[in-house]
Amino acid sequence: MVATVRSGPLIGLSIQIALLVGLAEAVGLGPAGWLAGLAYGLVVCLALSRGLHQPATDLGPADRVTLTRAVLVGAVTALVADGLTGRPVPVELLTALTTVALSLDAVDGYVARRTGTASTLGARFDMEVDSVLVAVLSLHVAPMVGHWVLILGAMRYAYLAAGWVLPWLRGPLPPRYWRKVVAAALGVVLLVVTSRLLPTAVGGVLALAVLVLQLESFGRDVVWRWQRRAVRPVTTPVERPGPEPLAGWRRKARWVSAALAVLLVLAALAVPRQPGHLVPAALLRIPLEGLALAAVLLALPPRARRPVAALAGALLGLLVVVKVADLGFGSTLGRPFDVALDWRLLDETFAFLRASVGRAGAVAAAIAAGLLAAALLAVTTWAVLRLSRLLTGHPDGSRRVLAGLVALWLAAAATGVRLVPGVPVADAATTALVGAHARQVQERLRDRSTFADTVNVDPYRFAPDDRLLTALRGKDVLVAFVESYGRDAVREPEFADIGEVLDEGQRRLSAAGFGTRSAFLTSPTTGGGSWLAHATLLSGLWVDNDQRHRTLLASDRTTLGDAFQRAGWRTVGVMPAVNQPWPEGAFYGYEQFYDEYSLGYRGPRFSFASMPDQYTLSVLHQQELAGTDRRPVMAELALISSHSPWTHIPKLVGWDALGDGRVFHDTTARSTSEQPRAGYRRSIEYTLDTLISYVQRYGDDELVLIMVGDHQPAPVVTGPDASRDVPIHLVARDRAVLERISGWGWPDGLRPASDAPVWRMDEFRDRFLATFSPTLAPPPPVTGPPR
């Protein structure tokens, strides 16, 4: 008997899975069908196993017939669930399965009477299978007949729900043959409508008629219970003394805490780490690591179980912290968290918050993040400890549930069922996550030495100074990095206004005698990390992480600034976001460096941006470019008005009205935005318009302006999986400069064409130096990691 009790529901679940596999092979089964069928089978298995725990109960002959009906109803449920998602439903197959299931409804009762094996469990099992079939069929025919037909399937469950609120509705009802007639009529009418043998209008009339019968049947039961509501046994204090209500609440609290612990562990393991997968359906997975943890806790001796559970809970908390970091980095930087290197970015994050919301807000956010991390560790540790007590307190039931979940996992793995693209129901993502970050650490260790060797290969280190950049002698060269200016800004239809700014700017510059060429570079970063893009373009090396950046800064690599300084230019760095010592300026070869304080701005901040780009350009011009008795200037500028969060954006004002920036206190000189994408668009328009206006106002034959994006904006603007390409423009009035780059293949105009050349950003230094240093031998081709 014990073997039958334990194996009967599991055999039914196994047959259910086999039938779903058969359906998938025969007619195809989508994710919704798989989920509905598997969930239904698991619920039937668990509910039947619980019912068989009652004394003197077993799966009798009639119960096996009902179990067969239940399996067929599971197949009907899977097909109907698929149909609700828009997939075609095989009407003939659905009708055949329903017909057999309804026919067996008469068989199980006959078998129970003939064998004398009628039982309360069997009767309840039979009734619940009937109810599910009616509910599922009503869902299927609702689009044909009308959504009012859902009342047919919902009435039974509404009656049960009412019993939770009104205790007098609970308990057994007296046998009544009419009740069985109405139940049979429900199934037959829904089968007729499903088969489409009759016109839809006729089916609707039949469904309406059976609804009237159903209302009458349920109404009679309700009246019968109402009339007898006062004749219910009353529990006296003598039978259940004093503290029993409190003990009942404690029992409920224990079950609630156990359920909460299970859900927390499952959520911690199943929550995706990719922002694009973060949808509710992605949590409907079976994590293999959770099954393994449950098996280990069940197998451990009592003395070892608690410390192992506590350790597992703490590790699970750390795993959640890493997942949250992956989600955050994926949403802002378009890549996962680097456990080897990204801890250093905490300082940068704090600085960004301090500049955007003030020091108090940044401190509050840092404290909240620390408390959240500690709370995650505490909660996951508690959840695993509570799960351990639940498993060991009910070992037999736990083993059966675990066996059922393993069977479901294997079936889902074999069929590859997915509710969310790229997220299988049979989940092993935690193992993959740990493996990915372990490989990440190994790659960083290997890259440290190989990149150090690459830095030392520099064809321009020993180039004669008098042969460098001879084709630009006498020119002022400005390299302006535009924050978050990516390919999407100039190619996505949503940002068409930016394209119009570029087209209008092209007309204005052409009228002033300037020529323009545009293309794309592939940045090593996205969403942030501007310093990596600056280092890549200026050094000619692919610098895509802070480890490489530190290695580069410790070298004597020739940067563009070094090359211009050696060739006789005055070199200048302008970084309005820098507000602390910045030794990088010396590495890049700048004789003069302007930071936030030395630029002398007295106006308001614009979120992260310490000052408007127009003011930055004005100070550079007045301090370095306005005089006549001077050396030519090469300047690198970081223009930051388009830095996230794009909530406060300056407006272009008269160049003569800038002064020390106090003009921007006037509300007419600034705007606000609550939508990131709209704010981003307006900020890019502002910076591009500012640069074009600057060239119109101050540009001459000696100016060469290189405008380049540092990286694409965060995925909140571009969406997931956007390219890392950024626009680059060269503006000059001297036609000799433009003819010099004719071999680059860059098309005319400020708006890069979709088929414009795309270089890696680390190729720019060598191509630029080779083009404008014609007396030097060309360097070897750039080699580096693939894009």
Side-chain angles (χ1 to χ4, degrees):
M1 177 183 294
V2 174
T4 302
V5 170
R6 293 189 175 183
S7 63
L10 288 179
I11 291 173
L13 178 60
S14 302
I15 297 173
Q16 181 76 81
I17 293 171
L19 182 55
L20 293 175
V21 172
L23 288 177
E25 292 295 329
V27 298
L29 206 58
W34 272 109
L35 177 63
L38 292 173
Y40 169 86
L42 182 59
V43 169
V44 169
C45 178
L46 295 177
L48 192 55
S49 297
R50 181 176 178 83
L52 291 173
H53 270 297
Q54 303 301 322
T57 56
D58 192 0
L59 275 181
D63 297 328
R64 294 189 181 95
V65 176
T66 308
L67 183 58
T68 303
R69 289 181 55 229
V71 170
L72 294 174
V73 172
V76 172
T77 301
L79 293 174
V80 170
D82 252 5
L84 294 176
T85 63
R87 291 172 61 91
V89 178
V91 176
E92 296 81 3
L93 179 59
L94 181 63
T95 303
L97 290 171
T98 304
T99 302
V100 176
L102 288 174
S103 301
L104 289 177
D105 191 17
V107 174
D108 57 9
Y110 174 79
V111 171
R113 291 189 297 272
R114 293 284 294 179
T115 59
T117 55
S119 66
T120 303
L121 173 65
R124 179 66 182 273
F125 187 23
D126 179 68
M127 180 174 57
E128 296 302 339
V129 172
D130 287 341
S131 300
V132 171
L133 180 59
V134 169
V136 170
L137 290 179
S138 66
L139 278 172
H140 176 64
V141 303
M144 295 183 282
V145 177
H147 287 87
W148 61 267
V149 81
L150 295 174
I151 300 173
L152 297 175
M155 194 171 298
R156 154 77 177 160
Y157 300 102
Y159 183 84
L160 291 176
W164 284 92
V165 180
L166 304 172
W168 54 270
L169 282 175
R170 304 176 200 165
L173 287 165
R176 186 155 50 88
Y177 183 74
W178 177 247
R179 193 182 297 122
K180 297 180 180 180
V181 172
V182 173
L186 271 173
V188 171
V189 168
L190 290 174
L191 171 62
V192 170
V193 179
T194 298
S195 66
R196 302 180 185 177
L197 294 175
L198 298 176
T200 302
V202 176
V205 171
L206 292 175
L208 183 59
V210 81
L211 173 60
V212 173
L213 296 178
Q214 189 187 35
L215 289 170
E216 184 276 335
S217 178
F218 273 96
R220 188 185 301 184
D221 288 340
V222 171
V223 170
W224 187 88
R225 289 193 180 280
W226 171 259
Q227 293 173 342
R228 288 156 181 79
R229 67 189 184 283
V231 191
R232 297 182 63 84
V234 180
T235 301
T236 64
V238 176
E239 296 175 22
R240 303 191 66 84
E244 177 57 29
L246 183 59
W249 279 108
R250 287 174 178 169
R251 279 197 304 273
K252 292 179 181 179
R254 284 198 297 270
W255 280 109
V256 169
S257 67
L260 182 60
V262 172
L263 291 176
L264 284 171
V265 172
L266 289 176
L269 291 170
V271 65
R273 66 188 184 107
Q274 297 90 355
H277 294 163
L278 198 60
V279 294
L283 297 176
L284 300 177
R285 295 188 283 167
I286 306 173
L288 178 63
E289 299 81 7
L291 302 180
L293 174 62
V296 168
L297 293 175
L298 280 170
L300 283 173
R303 293 182 61 184
R305 191 175 295 124
R306 183 175 179 82
V308 169
L311 176 61
L315 293 176
L316 184 62
L318 291 175
L319 174 72
V320 175
V321 171
V322 173
K323 283 190 176 185
V324 170
D326 279 347
L327 286 168
F329 274 69
S331 300
T332 56
L333 301 181
R335 62 172 178 83
F337 175 66
D338 191 326
V339 296
L341 303 177
D342 282 341
W343 300 104
R344 294 173 56 90
L345 294 183
L346 292 176
D347 289 342
E348 298 292 334
T349 303
F350 184 82
F352 169 75
L353 289 173
R354 182 177 58 192
S356 300
V357 300
R359 182 175 182 82
V363 170
I367 293 174
L371 292 175
L372 176 61
L376 283 173
L377 291 173
V379 167
T380 54
T381 302
W382 168 84
V384 176
L385 287 170
R386 183 67 184 89
L387 175 64
S388 175
R389 293 197 300 272
L390 175 66
L391 294 172
T392 55
H394 304 81
D396 291 338
S398 298
R399 292 188 184 96
R400 282 193 292 272
V401 172
L402 182 60
L405 289 174
V406 169
L408 280 178
W409 191 94
L410 292 172
T415 56
V417 61
R418 288 168 167 78
L419 301 177
V420 176
V423 183
V425 171
D427 178 40
T430 298
T431 301
L433 170 65
V434 174
H437 281 296
R439 289 190 298 273
Q440 188 183 66
V441 173
Q442 293 174 349
E443 290 169 1
R444 293 292 177 256
L445 293 175
R446 286 195 300 268
D447 184 64
R448 180 180 298 172
S449 59
T450 56
F451 184 71
D453 294 336
T454 304
V455 170
N456 294 324
V457 180
D458 186 357
Y460 290 101
R461 181 184 302 171
F462 302 110
D465 295 350
D466 59 354
R467 294 189 179 183
L468 287 170
L469 300 165
T470 53
L472 287 174
R473 291 286 168 83
K475 304 294 184 187
D476 292 320
V477 180
L478 308 185
V479 180
F481 282 92
V482 179
E483 173 67 38
S484 300
Y485 179 38
R487 186 186 189 103
D488 281 31
V490 298
R491 301 310 313 170
E492 283 297 312
E494 181 179 354
F495 302 127
D497 289 352
I498 295 176
E500 293 176 4
V501 169
L502 291 172
D503 292 341
E504 175 61 24
Q506 171 63 34
R507 289 189 287 270
R508 290 158 55 189
L509 292 178
S510 296
F514 287 90
T516 57
R517 303 288 186 273
S518 300
F520 293 104
L521 302 179
T522 300
S523 174
T525 184
T526 187
S530 303
W531 60 92
L532 303 178
H534 291 221
T536 296
L537 184 133
L538 298 173
S539 72
L541 293 171
W542 189 256
V543 184
D544 61 349
N545 60 66
D546 270 348
Q547 178 175 275
R548 287 189 164 208
H549 188 240
R550 293 193 301 271
T551 301
L552 173 66
L553 294 180
S555 72
D556 56 357
R557 178 84 177 180
T558 299
T559 65
L560 279 182
D562 290 323
F564 274 98
Q565 186 183 46
R566 287 164 53 190
W569 270 260
R570 174 175 169 80
T571 51
V572 178
V574 184
M575 301 288 162
V578 173
N579 52 21
Q580 56 188 346
W582 198 66
E584 289 92 330
F587 168 77
Y588 288 122
Y590 298 138
E591 299 174 35
Q592 178 65 45
F593 177 68
Y594 294 92
D595 61 9
E596 176 182 346
Y597 304 115
S598 56
L599 286 168
Y601 180 68
R602 296 293 182 268
R605 294 187 69 94
F606 290 82
S607 297
F608 174 83
S610 55
M611 62 195 70
D613 293 338
Q614 186 182 10
Y615 180 85
T616 302
L617 283 165
S618 176
V619 172
L620 170 68
H621 184 81
Q622 299 301 326
Q623 296 294 325
E624 299 290 342
L625 302 173
T628 55
D629 186 16
R630 60 177 177 80
R631 289 184 292 161
V633 171
M634 178 271 177
E636 179 205 357
L637 303 90
L639 300 179
I640 58 174
S641 289
S642 50
H643 198 292
S644 61
W646 310 300
T647 53
H648 295 85
I649 303 153
K651 294 182 179 179
L652 199 63
V653 300
W655 290 93
D656 295 331
L658 283 169
D660 61 2
R662 297 183 191 185
V663 64
F664 291 102
H665 282 293
D666 187 345
T667 56
T668 62
R670 47 199 166 102
S671 63
T672 60
S673 175
E674 296 180 357
Q675 298 297 324
R677 297 171 72 87
Y680 168 75
R681 173 183 56 78
R682 295 215 307 268
S683 69
I684 294 294
E685 291 173 6
Y686 163 76
T687 297
L688 293 177
D689 200 20
T690 296
L691 283 164
I692 293 165
S693 175
Y694 172 82
V695 174
Q696 280 187 291
R697 174 68 182 263
Y698 297 112
D700 55 22
D701 291 344
E702 309 308 322
L703 176 67
V704 176
L705 173 63
I706 299 170
M707 304 157 47
V708 58
D710 52 6
H711 52 71
Q712 285 260 57
V716 69
V717 173
T718 65
D721 304 320
S723 79
R724 294 194 171 195
D725 296 346
V726 297
I728 183 169
H729 318 277
L730 190 147
V731 181
R733 183 181 282 171
D734 188 342
R735 295 295 165 180
V737 172
L738 299 174
E739 290 172 5
R740 177 66 61 178
I741 66 170
S742 59
W744 292 1
W746 290 14
D748 292 343
L750 272 181
R751 193 202 296 224
S754 59
D755 59 349
V758 180
W759 300 350
R760 283 169 48 120
M761 192 173 278
D762 57 343
E763 296 179 35
F764 182 80
R765 185 203 73 156
D766 285 4
R767 287 182 183 249
F768 185 87
L769 291 177
T771 298
F772 291 104
S773 306
T775 60
L776 284 176
V782 174
T783 59
R787 238 182 257 166

